[in-house]
Amino acid sequence: MSGIEIKNLHKRWATFDAVRDVSFTVAPGTLTVLLGPSGCGKSTTLRLIAGLDAATSGQILIGGRDVTTAPPARRGLAMVFQNYALFPHLSVAENILFGLKVRRVPAAERTRRLRKAADILGLGALLERKPSQLSGGQQQRVALGRAIVAEAPICLMDEPLSNLDAQLRHEMRKEIRSIQQSLNMTMVYVTHDQIEAMSLADQVILMRGGSIEQKAAPVDLYLKPATSFAARFIGTPPMNLIALANGKGGAIVKGSQGPALVEGSGDGLLLGLRPEEIRIEREGIVPATIRSIEYHGADSILECAVGDQLLLVRVEGIRRHTVGDTVRLGWLPEAMHIFDEAQSQRVERKVLVRQAEPALRVAT
Ligand SMILES: Nc1ncnc2c1ncn2[C@@H]1O[C@H](COP(=O)(O)OP(=O)(O)O)[C@@H](O)[C@H]1O
Ligand SMILES: [Mg+2]
């Protein structure tokens, strides 16, 4: 089985550095997602791994072999792109088998692989159709079929689902993950969609401006974001980042009367709290005023003012609160993330709030 090792990869276009000193490892048979906003260098990184563009510096190893300057065909990989690039005049079967024909794979072997791929993807009844006679999801499956019949140990995907509607995206995502696991593929998957990343990945590489912001398993990215950017990029609504200030006994929410939430000076610090970690409680930690309520069905998003800071709170269903109510907000000590505002880095500070007695954690 083939793993991938990327060492200090760099790509410069004229005077612009699209990929800066990127290093990561993809263990054999696992799925790594390159995640980040548009233009952060995800596709460029993937194209360098594929050999479609040449690295300015750095090293790419596949299965322990240095392929940094090897042509794409020598890298043992298959690719699926956002625009599936199916040949309109070829049937589904011909589209799936195109690459194998080019590589002169014998006919009996081609038939065996086509059967297997059609089986996995549920395309058996559609093999004679032309791409124009298929739905978006079916076309996507044909593109996946091509990657499957290649039987390459490594598969690279660049936003393969972005042309599909939300429902179909969800189904295809599950399908890709199950194919990757059952065929034991090593996969690198590019997306800007954090939910797709969180639900698919063994490892997420979060990129920003050509550099890696954080690499971690989804659960660690959520529980311990390394920077304020990572904190805001994962989660819906995003994590609240609340400015702190110096107060009596420690750092307080800026513009509030306290209490002290963390030890030491609050100047230049941000307190991160996820909307889903905050509760409205009788004995909550800070007083707040409800500014607006947005009803979403299963939950509601309340915008609350604490001191001169605004934060979002996610509560289940409809609560009996109205705009203008004064409430108290509580959270568990481990829900607090502290960041240095100027550096945007996570910092460790002693938390002063204590978990309320269970009896007092009654929601109002
Ligand atoms: N062929 C190219 N020539 C010049 N600049 C490029 C080229 N390809 C990409 N870029 C630039 O590199 C940056 C990263 O692009 P890309 O990797 O496609 O981002 P992403 O896939 O994360 O949206 C962008 O600013 C883009 O404009
Ligand atoms: Mg891209």
Side-chain angles (χ1 to χ4, degrees):
M1 263 200 304
S2 289
I4 305 172
E5 209 176 329
I6 306 296
K7 294 181 183 171
N8 310 104
L9 197 61
H10 203 97
K11 180 63 183 178
R12 164 170 282 224
W13 299 111
T15 57
F16 179 75
D17 297 296
V19 173
R20 302 157 189 252
D21 197 25
V22 162
S23 301
F24 61 90
T25 305
V26 184
T30 65
L31 196 160
T32 286
V33 169
L34 302 182
L35 174 70
S38 177
C40 72
K42 307 180 295 293
S43 295
T44 305
T45 304
L46 203 71
R47 290 174 61 83
L48 294 175
I49 298 173
L52 299 173
D53 287 319
T56 305
S57 62
Q59 216 182 5
I60 301 166
L61 290 96
I62 294 181
R65 196 165 61 91
D66 189 331
V67 297
T68 313
T69 55
R74 293 287 197 70
R75 299 190 180 201
L77 42 81
M79 275 196 90
V80 181
F81 294 98
Q82 173 177 354
N83 45 354
Y84 341 112
L86 301 181
F87 299 110
H89 58 287
L90 297 183
S91 68
V92 167
E94 289 164 333
N95 263 289
I96 291 177
L97 291 176
F98 185 80
L100 298 190
K101 272 194 180 160
V102 171
R103 274 179 278 141
R104 300 179 197 279
V105 173
E109 176 64 12
R110 293 204 300 260
T111 308
R112 182 190 73 77
R113 293 195 196 178
L114 176 63
R115 284 228 185 87
K116 185 173 149 200
D119 221 34
I120 291 171
L121 296 168
L123 287 172
L126 306 174
L127 292 175
E128 296 314 314
R129 291 210 196 161
K130 295 279 161 60
S132 62
Q133 298 167 310
L134 301 177
S135 70
Q138 290 164 340
Q139 292 184 21
Q140 186 60 61
R141 267 179 233 180
V142 176
L144 281 174
R146 274 187 184 163
I148 290 173
V149 296
E151 295 191 354
I154 292 177
C155 187
L156 309 179
M157 298 203 178
D158 193 349
E159 312 234 12
L161 307 183
S162 52
N163 293 336
L164 307 180
D165 62 47
Q167 172 69 25
L168 203 50
R169 243 182 9 232
H170 181 227
E171 282 169 27
M172 292 301 297
R173 185 162 92 205
K174 284 196 291 190
E175 217 158 290
I176 288 175
R177 179 59 157 163
S178 105
I179 291 168
Q180 178 265 326
Q181 287 179 327
S182 64
L183 300 181
N184 220 351
M185 284 172 160
T186 305
M187 190 176 281
V188 183
Y189 186 106
V190 164
T191 181
H192 64 274
D193 179 343
Q194 48 123 349
I195 303 217
E196 210 163 277
M198 295 297 275
S199 60
L200 270 177
D202 294 303
Q203 167 182 241
V204 177
I205 312 277
L206 178 62
M207 294 183 69
R208 178 197 194 190
S211 304
I212 295 182
E213 187 81 3
Q214 185 169 8
K215 48 186 163 188
V219 65
D220 297 323
L221 198 57
Y222 180 80
L223 291 178
K224 214 166 180 193
T227 65
S228 51
F229 175 84
R232 296 270 305 169
F233 203 85
I234 307 292
T236 333
M239 186 188 282
N240 296 293
L241 291 179
I242 304 153
L244 298 179
N246 291 329
K248 206 168 134 205
I252 60 171
V253 173
K254 196 161 171 248
S256 79
Q257 303 299 312
L261 301 175
V262 293
E263 220 172 56
S265 156
D267 269 348
L269 292 187
L270 297 172
L271 166 64
L273 282 174
R274 294 199 184 276
E276 60 271 31
E277 300 277 3
I278 306 174
R279 299 195 224 169
I280 296 181
E281 295 173 329
R282 218 173 286 158
E283 302 293 321
I285 297 161
V286 294
T289 310
I290 298 176
R291 286 292 176 80
S292 69
I293 300 178
E294 199 181 317
Y295 176 58
H296 284 185
D299 48 32
S300 297
I301 307 297
L302 312 186
E303 189 185 44
C304 298
V306 177
D308 60 15
Q309 301 290 299
L310 288 175
L311 63 156
L312 300 180
V313 178
R314 192 165 97 195
V315 296
E316 276 174 30
I318 308 180
R319 291 292 166 85
R320 280 152 287 128
H321 306 294
T322 47
V323 170
D325 278 359
T326 301
V327 293
R328 292 190 78 84
L329 304 180
W331 55 82
L332 299 179
E334 56 267 32
M336 295 171 66
H337 306 263
I338 309 293
F339 301 98
D340 179 300
E341 189 172 13
Q343 310 286 330
S344 118
Q345 296 294 311
R346 181 185 194 89
V347 292
E348 297 309 327
R349 279 293 181 88
K350 187 163 188 268
V351 168
L352 298 175
V353 303
R354 292 230 319 271
Q355 183 176 352
E357 299 292 325
L360 298 177
R361 292 188 58 81
V362 180
T364 59

